[in-house]
Structures are given as C-alpha cells and as structure tokens.
C-alpha cells in the first residue's frame, strides 16, 4: 500500500520531450514507474524514451487510459497544461515546474475544487511511493520500503531526511514534496487524512518551514483527527522577518508565519518537534516502539 | 516585488483612484519646487521598504517653504531600520475627516483572493487586527463578477460613503488583477472634509513569478533594490539574501539552506547569507555564487552544504575549486557534499586542502570553530 500513486498508476509526462522532462522521465521509468505516454504539442505520433508522444492530454488518456500526470511544462504555459490534464479526467497531477504566477495557481485550485482532482505542487520534487512509482525528480536510490510517510515543503530537505531514515533502517511508504509556493495544490491538511487511512503507514513525518499557516492548520487537524503519530521539523527558525528565503512561500510577514507560532501549535497538538534533522530517526524509533 | 509608495500611487492614479497632489524629490531644492506647485502645508514622506517609518521620524509635515527644505534634507539624510532614504514623496497635506483601511490580498489558507475593509484605518491597523478582529471586514472573492457587480456589503451605513468606497474597491481590484499583484493596500483611505476619497498611503506587491507578463513593471524592480550585493546577485539570477552575521551559508534548495542557517546558529555562529544555488547547478554557477559571497567583506568563513538530487556533487566540487583558484579565496571554507555523484565529488575535493564534513551538523560546528580561531 501507499498513497496517491502505486505500481498500477498509469502515468503520462507533460513536457516529455524537453530537457528536464526527458531526463526525469528516464529516471522515473528506471525506478519502475509505469509511464504509458507523454505529451508535447506538435510532436504527436513520435516515440520518445520508448513511449508514445501525443499532442494533447485527451488523446493520451483515450489511448493509454492514463490516470496520473507529471508536468514539466514551462511556467508561462503551465496553467493551460494543468487545466488540460484536469479536463481530460486525470485524477492525480504532479506539477514540478517552478515560478508559476500566483493568480494562475488560484485559478487552478478553483478548478481542482470543482472537479475533485488532486494536484501536488507546483515547485516541488513530486511523489515517491517506495518501490512502486516515482513521479517527479527525487533521487530514487535514497529510499527504502517501509512504514513511514513523509510530507515536506522542501525538496532537498526531503532527501536529507529520507537518506537519514534509510541509513537508520527506517523505510518509507510514500514521500511527498508539496512544494515551496504560497498557493499549493495540496497542503499538509489535505494529505494527512490519506496517511491516516493507509494501512502500511505507521508514523508520519511533516517537514514544514516559515511562512503561511499550513503547519498551524495541520496541528489543528492532527489534534482532532489523527490516531497515527506525527513528528514535525520546522526549518527557518533563524530567518529574519520580511526577507524572502528563496521559496516564494518562505517569508515571515507581520505576526504570522513564524517558526515559533508553528512549533507552539504543533506542541499543543502533542506533535514531537525535532530540533535538528539528525534527531528525526530517533523520534521515529520512539514512536514505533510505543506501537508494539 | 515591493513597489515604493510613489510607484504604487502612480499606478493608482492611472486607475483613476485619487492620491494627494505631489511628487518625488531627491534633494531639498526639488522638494521645495514640488511644494511650491502643490501649496502648503505638505507632508514629506521617506520612500523606504520598511513598516513604521512614521514612528521612526520618516514622515513630517512642513508648513513653510523653509521648513520643507530643512525637513526634506533631514529625512534624506536618515537611515530607517538600516536603510538609507534616497527619495522623499512631497504631498499636499489632507484635511482628514475619517480614515478607512482597504486591501486586497492573496489568501494562502483559502487559496484565493480576499478583500479587506475597515472603518478604523490608519497606522494602528495591525493592532486593530489583533485586538478587534471584528472591526475588519473580510470578503473571499470567488469570482471577479462579485466585485465588478458590487455584490459585497462593506459595513458602512452612510449610502454615499458606501457607494464611493465600493467604486474604489472595483477600481482597486481591477488594478490588482491587471498587475498580477499579491497585495494592494490603501491605508489610510482618507475621507477629506470636502468629502473626497483619497489614497493617503499605498502599498503594492507584484508577484515576481508574473513579471514576464509585465515588462513595464519589471523595470521598476531595479529601482527598488536596496543592497548592492543583493542587486548584483539578482542580476545573475541567484537567490541570495544578505544577513548581518559573518558566516556565509550556501547550499542547494531553500529549505536546506534555511536549515543550514539554523544549524550554524545552533552551533553558536551568525549567518551572513542565505544563498540557494538552485537545482542542477553547473560548476560555473557555483563559482559565480561564491563570488557573490566574497563581495561581503563581513564574511569570515563559508559553509557550503549540498544534498545532490538533480544537482551533481562533482559539478559543485569543480565549481568550488575554480572559485578558490580564480577568486583567490582566503577565508575558511567547510564543504559538505552528499547525494548524486558524491564519490566523484569527494575525490575532486580530496586533491585539495579544503575541509569537508560528513553531516550538516558536523559542518556547522566546524565552520564556527574555524572562524573563532
């Protein structure tokens, strides 16, 4: 078991013939992901990396029965690409692209709400359901199959934590990088219920960062709805106010979005906070021991 | 991208929202010339990107021409929260009857746009938001038509005020969408004694990701840059923030770099930068990033932390070596390289006398130790 994607997911890649699209599709296939086709307007009918390329998502879905898409389309065309996927009936969309205008994402989120489709991203590393499917750009060799679910706002920090878990012989079920933008297709609160319902997952790790109030909202959700233990790490404790730390979402403005506010809310929800990434495996071991 | 007040007001005027008569000055004489055209008294307002400039002495009222010159010169010589004032806005002082607050902002939690309005506008609006949240009317905009057709009810009894403010909201929302703003704010929106509605202060933030759609607004970015090194980094398209410490922090990925800053602080050090080389950086870019750090003479040591996913450790190692040779880098450099092509990267570094660390925590401790020697 895993969440969102598994070995049976039929995946297409939008922007498959581009530089990033090509490189990562190859890695996804190598990982064992069932990539059934790709989309690049004007290149329909060609074959690329052993799969068929279509002019649009509707044609790709019709012929391949694809139910998931990974998007590498440049930012300025991304809104149209996401709409195309939703309208073609794709239910799970992973958008890797960075730098999509905020108003474009607001329109996308409204469309997702109307149709019930799920999107991870944008500006994210994607999803890996360990040993089943990898949609996105995470390095496949760091994972080990197991019982830990992970949701993170940061890409490289995900790798850092996954590698530390694997080294400590703590395997993962599904790892999701939700992205660093202010407007996201899926937030912690959207994904926690999926891990709660997943039989394989025993512990969930949440990697948050400064900016916004997603961690605080997740704390509320955890306190009232989660039976599985959640462990959290918050990055950016020492970042100054009013400065944007690379991620468009990582900015402390006014009195909101501080690390203190997030940590306080999570502690109130009885979520253990790792002081450093190196502490995370120990906290996981402690939680797993309690379940036995 | 934050606009200066004077830039924001130019956009308001273009969208038929009234602002006080006035202009921007870079010298006391210029200030006096503007005051001569608007008439006295005038408000002299420092143009800086910080909150609370009024309380810091950055806004003054001048009643005579002599006062205009003296006060403008004073404000132009000021530093407010570390930022030097380069321009002042000279505006005819308003005869205020009442102050309102008006804002439209991207609402992350609702993944939409929200209109905010209050009948108690002015400098203490944040305090009002904290202590009297019921005083702030919020309206989630689900559809542009709601605003265009005035399908919202701001809490104002007076019909004339209601219709005038609603009309301003419609124009402001049009500007918000047209410019791909993430925030437009008029605070205060002043009702004058002769019942005019005038934007006495304005704040606009434009979405950086949407600047490709607004080449005219992108030109304002350079003018808004405060720090020379930050400006140079942004010209090179490098995500860099200058910080007040003495340890340069550089790595790949915003979350990892922020966490590296946290670790250095835990180890007792003071970060001097946030620098994200991004994903898939090549050697040349790595060198260029290190060059940015060498421009900050406060930096006494650098911690380079990389977890390679798309980024290849051998490319990073090559870039570091080129930088140390070409830039004559003399300050201590601690490097932690792991992930994709780690072995190749380590081999390259092993031929040098650069200091490596196996983990982020170890690296943080090492750099703090080196610079305290």
């Amino acid at each position: 078991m895993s969440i969102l994607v598994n070995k049976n997911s039929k995946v297409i890649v939008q922007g498959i013939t581009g530089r990033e699209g090509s490189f990562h599709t190859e890695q996804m296939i190598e990982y064992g992901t069932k990539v059934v086709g790709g989309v690049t307007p004007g290149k329909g009918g060609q074959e690329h990396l052993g799969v068929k390329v279509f002019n649009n998502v509707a044609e790709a879905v019709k012929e391949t029965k694809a139910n998931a898409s990974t998007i590498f389309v440049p930012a300025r065309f991304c809104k149209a690409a996401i709409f195309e996927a939703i309208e073609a009936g794709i239910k799970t969309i992973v958008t890797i692209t960075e730098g999509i205008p905020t108003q474009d994402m607001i329109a996308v989120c409204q469309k997702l709400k109307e149709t019930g489709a799920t999107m991870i991203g944008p500006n994210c590393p994607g999803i890996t359901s360990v040993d089943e499917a990898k949609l996105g750009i995470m390095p496949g060799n760091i994972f080990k199959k197991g019982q830990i679910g992970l949701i993170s706002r940061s890409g490289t920090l995900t790798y850092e934590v996954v590698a530390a878990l694997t080294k400590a012989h703590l395997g993962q079920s599904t790892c999701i990088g939700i992205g660093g933008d202010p407007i996201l297709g899926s937030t912690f609160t959207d994904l926690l219920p999926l891990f709660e319902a997943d039989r394989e997952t025993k512990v969930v790790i949440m990697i948050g960062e400064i900016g916004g109030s997603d961690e605080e909202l997740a704390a509320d959700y955890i306190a009232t709805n989660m039976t599985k233990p959640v462990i959290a790490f918050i990055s950016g404790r020492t970042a100054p106010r009013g400065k944007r730390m690379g991620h468009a979402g990582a900015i402390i403005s006014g009195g909101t979005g501080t690390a203190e506010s997030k940590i306080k809310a999570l502690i109130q929800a009885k979520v253990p906070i790792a002081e450093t990434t190196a502490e995370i495996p120990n906290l996981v071991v402690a939680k797993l021991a309690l379940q036995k | 991208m934050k606009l200066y007040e004077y830039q924001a007001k130019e956009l308001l005027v273009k969208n038929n929202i009234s602002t006080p008569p006035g202009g921007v000055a870079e010298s006391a004489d210029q200030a006096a010339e503007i005051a001569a055209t608007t008439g006295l008294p005038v408000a002299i307002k420092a143009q800086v990107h910080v909150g609370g400039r009024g309380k810091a002495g950055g806004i003054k009222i001048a009643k005579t021409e002599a006062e205009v010159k003296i006060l403008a010169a004073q404000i132009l010589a000021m530093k407010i929260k570390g930022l030097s004032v380069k321009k002042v806005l000279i505006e005819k002082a308003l005869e205020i009857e009442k102050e309102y607050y008006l804002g439209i902002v991207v609402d992350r939690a609702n993944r939409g746009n929200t209109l905010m309005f209050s009948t108690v506008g002015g400098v203490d609006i944040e305090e009002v938001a904290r202590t009297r949240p019921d005083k702030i009317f919020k309206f989630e905009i689900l559809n542009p038509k709601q605003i265009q057709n005035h399908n919202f009810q701001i809490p104002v009894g007076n019909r004339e005020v209601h219709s005038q403010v609603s009309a301003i909201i419609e124009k402001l929302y049009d500007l918000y969408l047209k410019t791909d703003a993430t925030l437009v704010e008029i605070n205060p929106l002043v009702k004058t004694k002769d019942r005019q509605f005038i934007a006495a202060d304005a704040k606009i933030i434009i979405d950086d990701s949407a600047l490709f759609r607004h080449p005219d607004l992108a030109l304002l970015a350079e003018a808004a840059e405060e720090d020379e090194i930050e400006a140079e980094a942004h010209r090179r398209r490098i995500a860099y923030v200058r910080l007040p410490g003495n340890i340069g922090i550089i790595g790949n990925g915003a979350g990892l770099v922020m966490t590296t800053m946290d670790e250095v602080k835990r180890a007792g050090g003071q970060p001097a930068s946030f620098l994200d080389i991004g994903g898939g950086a090549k050697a040349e870019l790595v060198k260029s990033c290190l060059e940015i750090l060498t421009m900050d003479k406060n930096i006494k040591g650098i911690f380079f932390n990389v977890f390679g996913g798309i980024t290849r450790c051998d490319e990073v190692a090559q870039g570091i070596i080129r930088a140390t040779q070409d830039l004559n880098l003399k300050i201590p450099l601690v490097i932690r390289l792991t992930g994709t092509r780690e072995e190749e990267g380590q081999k390259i570094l092993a031929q040098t006398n650069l200091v490596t660390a196996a983990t982020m925590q170890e690296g943080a401790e090492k750099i703090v130790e080196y610079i305290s020697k």
Side-chain angles (χ1 to χ4, degrees):
Chain A
M1 283 272 287
S2 52
I3 69 166
L4 290 167
V5 293
N6 59 35
K7 59 181 183 298
N8 299 317
S9 298
K10 291 183 179 163
V11 182
I12 54 162
V13 176
Q14 290 174 254
I16 192 169
T17 54
R19 199 174 68 106
E20 296 288 314
S22 293
F23 177 75
H24 293 291
T25 303
E26 214 170 344
Q27 306 272 312
M28 284 163 59
I29 294 170
E30 196 179 303
Y31 193 76
T33 314
K34 200 181 268 179
V35 176
V36 296
V39 174
T40 299
K43 295 199 176 170
Q46 297 183 9
E47 207 187 271
H48 189 63
L49 306 170
V51 298
K52 205 168 159 186
V53 180
F54 299 87
N55 282 321
N56 59 59
V57 183
E59 281 173 26
V61 169
K62 199 174 161 201
E63 198 168 316
T64 65
K65 304 277 178 286
N67 53 16
S69 177
T70 308
I71 301 181
F72 289 98
V73 171
R76 59 182 71 196
F77 310 116
C78 224
K79 176 184 161 189
I82 298 167
F83 269 67
E84 207 189 309
I86 297 171
E87 280 160 5
I90 298 277
K91 286 294 171 212
T92 307
I93 300 164
V94 175
T95 304
I96 305 302
T97 310
E98 182 180 345
I100 302 177
T102 303
Q103 292 300 334
D104 289 7
M105 276 308 302
I106 287 176
V108 163
C109 287
Q110 274 190 0
K111 185 80 178 173
L112 290 167
K113 208 154 101 184
E114 286 161 24
T115 55
T118 298
M119 187 176 97
I120 302 296
N123 188 13
C124 81
I127 318 175
T128 301
S129 282
V130 182
D131 292 350
E132 297 200 42
K134 177 172 96 104
L135 280 70
I137 63 173
M138 294 188 195
N141 60 352
I142 57 176
F143 298 94
K144 172 187 155 74
K145 184 84 180 159
Q147 303 175 318
I148 299 154
L150 185 143
I151 316 171
S152 169
R153 272 172 73 184
S154 153
T156 35
L157 214 46
T158 303
Y159 314 157
E160 179 85 40
V161 173
V162 169
L165 290 170
T166 297
K167 203 172 158 204
H169 307 291
L170 299 162
Q172 309 89 37
S173 53
T174 298
C175 298
I176 307 166
I178 57 175
D181 274 11
I183 305 288
L184 296 172
S186 300
T187 62
F188 292 119
T189 315
D190 295 323
L191 299 172
L192 285 167
L194 305 184
F195 277 126
E196 175 71 11
D198 175 41
R199 269 179 303 166
E200 188 186 21
T201 303
K202 302 287 183 222
V203 176
V204 183
I205 299 172
M206 238 179 82
I207 300 173
E209 66 187 24
I210 52 167
S213 57
D214 285 356
E215 291 81 1
E216 287 89 333
L217 295 170
D220 281 350
Y221 180 83
I222 292 165
T224 47
N225 298 293
M226 289 287 287
T227 61
K228 292 181 184 173
V230 180
I231 290 163
F233 174 79
I234 303 293
S235 104
R237 290 177 186 226
T238 60
R241 278 168 196 272
K243 289 274 194 178
R244 197 174 56 164
M245 295 290 137
H247 277 172
I251 179 165
I252 306 174
S253 48
T256 63
T258 62
E260 296 85 65
S261 136
K262 292 172 190 306
I263 290 168
K264 193 177 149 204
L266 288 161
I267 287 174
Q268 269 174 7
K270 301 196 165 57
V271 173
I273 307 287
E275 290 291 317
T276 70
T277 51
E279 261 181 41
I280 294 174
N282 294 337
L283 292 175
V284 172
V285 169
K287 285 293 178 192
L288 285 172
L290 285 177
Q291 291 182 350
K292 277 178 186 153
Chain B
M1 179 182 80
K2 265 188 209 167
L3 299 187
Y4 285 110
E5 179 191 3
Y6 77 91
Q7 296 171 326
K9 282 179 166 169
E10 282 168 13
L11 291 178
L12 290 182
V13 169
K14 271 190 207 158
N15 248 44
N16 299 317
I17 296 172
S18 304
T19 62
V24 191
E26 291 181 46
S27 70
D29 287 341
Q30 252 184 335
E33 277 168 35
I34 294 164
T37 64
T38 62
L40 293 160
V42 290
I44 303 170
K45 306 171 86 179
Q47 299 297 291
V48 277
H49 288 313
V50 290
R53 69 186 160 156
K55 287 172 184 167
I59 301 177
K60 292 270 161 60
I61 301 287
K63 295 192 188 74
T64 64
E65 196 191 318
E67 268 183 22
V68 172
K69 283 196 177 176
I70 295 166
L71 294 171
Q74 265 177 20
I75 294 175
L76 282 166
M78 278 176 81
K79 266 199 168 187
I80 301 180
K81 296 182 185 170
L83 298 176
S84 42
V85 180
K86 291 179 189 147
K87 288 181 175 149
V88 287
L89 181 60
I90 310 298
E91 284 183 338
K92 180 85 193 287
L94 299 172
E95 288 193 63
I96 298 170
E97 186 177 296
K98 191 165 169 58
E99 295 183 324
Y100 298 90
Y101 169 90
L102 189 55
I104 303 171
V105 64
V106 168
D107 182 349
R108 299 171 58 140
N110 288 322
R111 289 176 250 202
N113 300 306
T114 292
L115 164 69
M116 293 185 291
F117 171 81
S118 178
T119 53
V120 285
V123 285
D124 293 322
I125 192 70
E126 285 184 27
E127 182 64 21
V128 172
R130 245 192 321 274
T131 54
R132 300 286 317 273
D134 58 302
K135 283 279 177 197
I136 299 189
F137 164 81
K138 286 189 183 174
F139 180 81
E140 210 184 313
I141 306 168
L142 298 172
N143 184 329
K145 291 230 159 54
Q146 291 172 304
I147 301 294
Q148 286 147 7
N149 300 336
H150 295 206
N151 287 334
F152 53 88
Q153 276 300 329
I154 50 167
V156 171
N158 182 315
R159 277 174 72 180
E160 192 195 327
V161 174
H162 192 286
S163 82
Q164 288 212 50
V165 173
S166 296
I168 292 172
I169 289 173
E170 186 189 338
K171 290 178 201 165
L172 190 65
Y173 181 63
D174 177 56
L175 175 67
Y176 176 80
L177 291 184
K178 221 162 50 184
T179 55
D180 266 299
T182 56
L183 170 90
V184 289
E185 193 176 76
I186 301 177
N187 184 37
L189 173 65
V190 163
K191 184 187 174 191
T192 59
K193 294 203 165 130
D194 55 355
R195 292 200 263 171
Q196 302 282 319
F197 280 84
I198 294 178
D201 196 358
K203 201 176 193 179
I204 295 181
I205 302 177
I206 307 287
D207 179 6
D208 291 312
S209 297
L211 283 177
F212 70 85
R213 293 202 275 241
H214 309 282
D216 50 330
L217 296 174
L219 294 175
L220 302 175
E222 191 72 5
E225 212 75 62
E226 300 281 357
D227 181 279
E228 273 175 38
I229 306 177
E230 287 186 356
E232 178 56 29
H234 297 164
R235 269 193 288 279
R236 299 182 185 194
R237 299 181 164 273
I238 293 168
Y240 163 79
V241 177
R242 191 175 183 178
L243 300 170
N246 58 6
I247 299 176
I249 310 289
I250 171 169
N252 64 328
L256 186 70
V257 179
M258 277 196 291
T259 304
T260 311
M261 284 162 51
D262 295 348
E263 289 288 353
V264 165
K265 199 120 183 193
R266 261 178 82 81
Q270 296 297 330
S273 72
F274 163 97
L275 197 157
D276 177 5
I277 64 171
K282 296 276 185 290
E284 208 41 46
L285 176 65
V286 170
K287 181 187 148 187
S288 175
C289 289
L290 281 167
E291 190 175 25
I292 290 290
L293 293 187
T294 61
M295 293 174 190
D296 181 353
K297 299 302 169 208
N298 293 327
I299 293 186
K300 302 288 176 248
I302 294 171
F303 179 23
F304 206 136
N305 185 16
V306 166
F307 199 115
I310 339 175
T311 307
R312 286 167 36 174
C313 291
D314 53 342
E315 281 285 342
V316 174
Q318 294 286 7
I320 292 172
I321 288 180
R322 262 187 239 170
T324 50
Q325 289 166 351
D326 301 356
L327 306 172
N328 193 17
L329 208 63
K330 290 227 172 67
I331 51 177
L333 183 63
V334 173
I335 303 152
R336 185 259 187 154
L337 264 187
T338 188
T340 308
R341 291 191 167 244
E342 176 177 342
E343 263 178 52
E344 290 87 339
Q346 295 292 0
K347 257 185 213 160
I348 295 168
L349 293 180
Q351 297 156 9
T352 69
N353 51 8
L354 293 164
V355 182
T356 58
T359 67
M360 174 165 30
Q361 287 75 22
E362 187 193 320
E365 282 159 18
K366 275 192 175 165
I367 191 66
V368 172
E369 197 188 311
Y370 273 104
I371 66 149
S372 55
K373 269 181 191 168

